[in-house]
């Protein structure tokens, strides 16, 4: 983890981090593996061409100038790019699987980023759902909690609006200059005007696609001690957020509703699965009172792989043994090691290559599967 | 327990049981203690005058003719009086604290008394609550469950109406000739016309008083494998039924609702306290599938005191030691024995006397307290 605990990156380091992170097929997990393997982003960038030869698939390495342009663009907008380990990086995010190595942030300098509650729910919320959100968010805000949400229509909008003056964080699925939906651009401005924050891991100019929303949702829960689901249909993004929150060891709260109301199905199902039924802010605060960021149950998991630098490169035979052990069903790396008989070092190196080649995908930062091509 | 396992009472025994049970200050618990102490109701009736002398308070022993009149009145109405241990006595009731030694029953000969679900809720139910009740009751009925409720307005009425043809049991708080509320007299007739049952432990002609309803509620839950609370305000009879059901080791299910709806407060609070959130009949059946009347967790508790016949009568000194150990705070008999140093036999005899004198009251059939005079 040493690389991640550096107090502040130099400009050159930040540019190298950005180049590496914006390179094809380098997600948060691969980024960490590369940094651990090569010691720094600069060294990883130097090693990439050789590594890519082994994968056999051409990928584009982001150029120095492209990274510099992105950073310049951000500063032009008054936004900043914060790296994991830096003082400004939201501490709660350090403890989630595949936390973003770099985040773009605007505003929020004086927010409490530690006492946070995420509020999520239906875009087509009922008036009762909107009212409930307003009540919860207002009370939580007055009790000193910062509210995190996704700037979507409905519940998200109500949560942000109710906490403009007490503290609100909007996590975006696209570049922060590509607010979605358009109708919430004024809300985004209101958030910044009141000292709130906009936050994203996507580059400037990035239009959010459908698959970017679940990815964004992991940050909504990851920035929060617990999340509240106010109204959610049976299969909805809010339930994905709830699942991610559980994987991140965060509390999940749900507002109950009549079984005759389809918008209550998700919340009721969550409660049946173990989420806490809440009817007011006090119910949430009671539980979160004990959610100290230092408590071990929440925060002592070590998500970092432990690569061995300078190990000999794995052989083609190793690679075929791994490929025959992999399938489209996600499995744990430990299981793969048992099945394939590979060394830990060879396994990690091969997974890194396959990652860069875009051949595998990770779920929960721990399970690996062949990508459905 | 031997006395309670007799297959069927003779007419003379039934009359003696009724005389003893209808005697002042003889509730279900005292009735059992007397029967255990003296071996039979007849012997207890013979011993009562002497016993009452010791208590110092005059109580009225029900006469032979009064008991015969009540039994004749019942048969005139086509009702029957069933004693615990008799084949017609609802088996699930044998396992609750202070189960009624005698029950008045009309109808219900072909009902399934073992696969039962109680449904309770607000008298001033919302139309959504009524609809929910109808859905749940209908589905449970079609799946072979008999529905138990209290013939009250609102949820109770909807539960009975929905299950007229599949099987429904109405437990009354007064004599079965004193249906409450008046507006449900036609419903009571419909229940009997369709093979359902009316049931009460109160005598013919008894007008239900406020305190008779919680007493009745323990039979609604006691007759049921589990109870469902559909709509309930924060302090309501339905919540009392839920508490009683828990004390009786029965499942408690609650229908959730919006925190903005005051009629959902009770159900939501129950869920927070551990009741199962249910949204349909399937949720209930899944849990009850394993609620076998034979399973030990539910049914192996022994509520019967174990008096020693022919033990020497306790002294006045014993009595003052017990009285100084008692207070208006309910305590367990075992605790009293530890505190007072009395023998089990003396303790039980003294409690019987105090019971008959109307000086103490029992809660949950296990805790005893001085009655607030």
């Amino acid at each position: 983890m040493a690389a991640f605990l550096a107090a502040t990156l130099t400009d050159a380091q930040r540019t190298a981090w950005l180049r590496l992170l914006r390179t094809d097929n380098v997600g948060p997990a691969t980024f960490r593996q590369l940094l651990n393997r090569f010691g720094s982003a600069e060294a990883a960038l130097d090693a990439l061409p050789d590594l890519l030869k082994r994968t056999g698939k051409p990928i584009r390495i982001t150029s120095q100038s492209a990274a510099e342009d992105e950073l310049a663009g951000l500063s032009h907008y008054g936004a900043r790019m914060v790296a994991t380990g830096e003082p400004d990086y939201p501490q709660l995010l350090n403890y989630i699987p595949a936390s973003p190595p770099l985040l773009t942030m605007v505003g929020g300098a004086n927010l409490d980023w530690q006492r946070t509650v995420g509020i999520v729910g239906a875009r087509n919320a009922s008036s009762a759902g909107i009212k409930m959100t307003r009540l919860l968010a207002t009370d939580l805000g007055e009790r000193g909690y910062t509210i995190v949400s996704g700037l979507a229509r409905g519940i998200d909008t109500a949560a942000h609006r109710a906490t403009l003056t007490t503290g609100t964080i909007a996590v975006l699925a696209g570049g922060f200059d590509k607010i979605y939906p358009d109708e919430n651009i004024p809300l985004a401005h209101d958030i910044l005007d009141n000292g709130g924050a906009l936050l994203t891991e996507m580059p400037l100019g990035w239009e959010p696609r459908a698959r970017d929303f679940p990815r964004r949702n992991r940050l909504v829960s990851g920035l929060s001690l617990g999340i509240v689901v106010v109204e959610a249909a049976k299969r909805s993004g809010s339930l994905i957020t709830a699942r991610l929150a559980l994987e991140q060891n965060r509390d999940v709260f749900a507002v109950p509703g009549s079984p005759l109301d389809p918008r209550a199905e998700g919340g009721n199902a969550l409660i049946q699965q173990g989420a806490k039924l809440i009817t007011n802010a006090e119910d949430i605060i009671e539980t979160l009172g004990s959610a100290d960021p230092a408590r071990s149950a929440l925060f002592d998991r070590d998500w970092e792989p432990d690569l061995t630098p300078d190990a000999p490169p794995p052989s083609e035979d190793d690679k075929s043994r791994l490929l025959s052990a992999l399938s489209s069903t996600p499995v744990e790396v430990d299981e793969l090691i048992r099945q394939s008989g590979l060394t830990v070092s060879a396994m990690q190196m091969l997974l890194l290559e396959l990652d860069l080649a875009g051949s595998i995908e990770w779920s929960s930062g721990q399970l690996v599967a062949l990508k459905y091509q």
Side-chain angles (χ1 to χ4, degrees), chain A:
Chain A
M1 288 269 297
F4 300 92
L5 296 175
T8 309
L9 299 187
T10 63
D11 286 352
Q13 281 173 324
R14 196 179 315 273
T15 310
W17 275 46
L18 187 57
R19 282 185 68 193
L20 189 59
L21 185 63
R22 296 281 187 251
T23 289
D24 287 352
N25 295 335
V26 177
T30 317
F31 180 91
R32 278 178 168 66
Q33 289 170 350
L34 287 166
L35 226 64
N36 279 336
R37 172 87 179 121
F38 298 104
S40 70
E42 290 92 331
L45 286 166
D46 287 346
L48 264 185
D50 266 359
L51 206 57
L52 294 174
K53 265 187 226 144
R54 284 181 54 92
T55 71
K57 295 201 184 174
I59 66 169
R60 188 192 47 80
I61 300 175
T62 298
S63 68
Q64 177 78 11
S65 63
E68 283 169 354
D69 284 354
E70 184 176 347
L71 288 168
L74 286 178
S75 75
H76 172 73
Y77 279 102
R80 59 199 186 279
M81 181 155 282
V82 183
T84 182
E86 291 193 308
D88 265 11
Y89 189 87
Q91 200 182 311
L92 287 173
L93 277 188
N94 283 320
Y95 305 101
I96 69 169
S99 64
L102 290 168
L103 279 177
T104 298
M105 295 169 68
V106 204
N110 296 315
L111 292 181
D112 187 337
W113 291 79
Q114 304 282 81
R115 276 160 64 87
T116 45
V117 175
I119 299 185
V120 298
R123 290 188 298 275
N124 65 338
S126 71
S127 62
I130 297 290
K131 183 177 174 187
M132 193 67 214
T133 304
R134 209 165 49 222
L135 289 172
L136 288 173
T138 303
D139 286 357
L140 287 168
E142 284 170 358
R143 295 288 296 272
Y145 285 87
T146 307
I147 297 302
V148 185
S149 195
L151 205 75
R153 290 189 189 92
I155 301 297
D156 287 20
T157 296
H160 290 304
R161 280 253 167 253
T163 53
L164 283 177
T165 57
T166 53
T168 205
I169 299 169
V171 189
L172 311 176
F176 91 93
D177 57 341
K178 298 288 176 182
I179 301 293
Y180 178 87
D182 281 351
E183 68 189 63
N184 272 345
I185 293 176
L187 173 57
H189 283 286
D190 288 347
I191 290 174
L192 294 180
D193 290 347
N194 283 280
L198 303 186
L199 187 147
T200 184
E201 61 179 328
M202 305 310 276
L204 259 184
W206 186 274
E207 291 278 3
R209 306 153 301 172
R211 56 191 279 195
D212 295 325
F213 292 95
R215 180 173 177 171
R216 180 271 314 271
N217 293 347
R218 94 186 194 289
L219 298 185
V220 171
S221 53
L223 285 161
S224 308
L225 292 172
I227 65 132
V228 187
V229 178
V230 180
E231 276 189 336
K234 219 164 186 175
R235 265 170 286 279
S236 64
S238 307
L239 295 198
I240 295 176
T241 310
R243 183 174 57 72
L244 294 166
L246 284 179
E247 288 178 6
Q248 295 166 348
N249 241 334
R250 309 298 160 96
D251 285 304
V252 177
F253 307 98
V255 176
S258 165
L260 300 175
D261 179 355
R263 277 173 289 217
E265 276 185 29
N268 288 342
L270 283 175
I271 294 165
Q272 288 183 320
Q273 289 156 28
K276 292 193 182 64
L277 181 154
I278 60 111
T279 64
N280 53 43
E282 196 48 51
D283 288 342
I284 298 166
I285 293 169
E286 237 171 57
T287 301
L288 290 185
S290 54
D292 179 348
R295 72 182 167 144
S296 59
L298 182 55
F299 295 109
D300 68 357
R301 288 160 80 173
D302 180 10
W303 300 99
E304 304 306 327
D306 188 13
L307 287 173
T308 314
D310 307 320
S315 66
E316 277 305 307
D317 179 50
D318 288 344
K319 190 167 177 175
S320 28
R321 272 152 73 202
L322 172 57
L323 283 171
S324 73
L326 277 169
S327 77
S328 59
T329 304
V331 288
E332 291 186 357
V333 174
D334 285 354
E335 182 58 33
L336 281 178
I337 289 171
R338 270 193 297 275
Q339 279 185 29
S340 65
L342 291 175
T343 64
V344 174
S345 164
M347 174 63 70
Q348 288 169 334
M349 197 64 201
L350 284 169
L351 287 175
L352 189 51
E353 286 181 25
L354 290 171
D355 231 358
L356 287 168
S359 307
I360 56 174
E361 59 191 349
W362 294 85
S363 41
S364 315
Q366 291 180 300
L367 302 175
V368 63
L370 279 182
K371 207 180 274 188
Y372 211 52
Q373 307 279 357

